[in-house]
Amino acid sequence: MDPLRHLKFSVATLIIIIGCGTFGYFLIEGWTLFDSLYMTVITLATVGFREVHDLSDQGKVFTIILIISGTGIIAYVLGSLIQFMVEGQLLKLLGRKKLQTQVSKLNNHYIVCGFGRIGHLVCREFSAKPIPFVIVEKDPHMIERIEREGFWYVEGDATDDDTLLEAGIKRAKGLVTAVTSDTDNVYITLTARGLNPSLFILSRAGEEGSEKKLLRAGASKVISPYTIGAYRMAQAVLRPSVVDFIEIATGRESVELQLEEIQVAERSELVGKNLVNAGIRQSMGIIIVGINQPDGHMIFNPSPATAIVSGAILITLGERPAINQLEKIAFGQGA
């Protein structure tokens, strides 16, 4: 049994025996509830004080039974308390309370369901960005790994409404379900979509045919790691230079070149300008590969006369310091 549950059980048992002793003296001796409680406490504590009132024979028998059973229970409670303290469960409980407070303050964040190989890599990328996120995991061994990594988490089943609510799904921007079971991914997607209809949900598909089920369940986008992996391996043979370029541009370890997307805020000075007037290429050396318009229309290799509108997402290619500078301008924070 978990030490915390063990302690809770022993304390509950102690409360029950005190209650039984109090009502026992109340019924047998006809004392007041306070006198009965006092007699029960000094009896269980074995402090040796005299009786509150003279005991009848039935009361003496009841006292003997109470001493025999109560002494063992008190020893059990003390043992549980020592175990709880020695194993550091108190500190762990305080840390868990602090974690819950931190998670409850999250807003516009992402929820990652499952901390397996895929979930772990997703969390590493989110952390490197950085993007606020919280992990939902039920495996105790994975929880220990998450704690070592220093990530925020909620322990529980992601298919359960209460668990997702504790992870702040009502305030979340998106959810990534990356557990190994396609059935669980479908249930998680259904639950998440029901709790937050506007949520962006990215689901992992493992088996062939699962993609359609996940989309019907409410997934915004479905990714199959095996399909992507197979395609990437084929392209590494057929188009090795292209693959090398993509790895350089999208790898977070690369400092020379980064492929990034930047959304233009309404207050940004870029709004209303075209690509030439904005000076993105000339002053920052950043190439605009594409522009995803607010209506979802994607413009590939936009012309210099293409206007920048509020809400557009710029697909950029350039060095990380220059991209950071453009992000500030696009967010309306100045250069």
Side-chain angles (χ1 to χ4, degrees), residues 166-183:
E166 186 179 348
I169 193 168
K170 296 284 189 179
R171 309 181 306 276
K173 182 177 181 180
L175 178 141
V176 179
T177 171
V179 298
T180 55
S181 168
D182 283 355
T183 302

Side-chain angles (χ1 to χ4, degrees), residues 170 172-174 192-193 195-201 220:
K170 296 284 189 179
K173 182 177 181 180
R193 180 59 68 205
L195 292 172
N196 190 342
S198 62
L199 189 71
F200 173 80
I201 301 176
S220 308

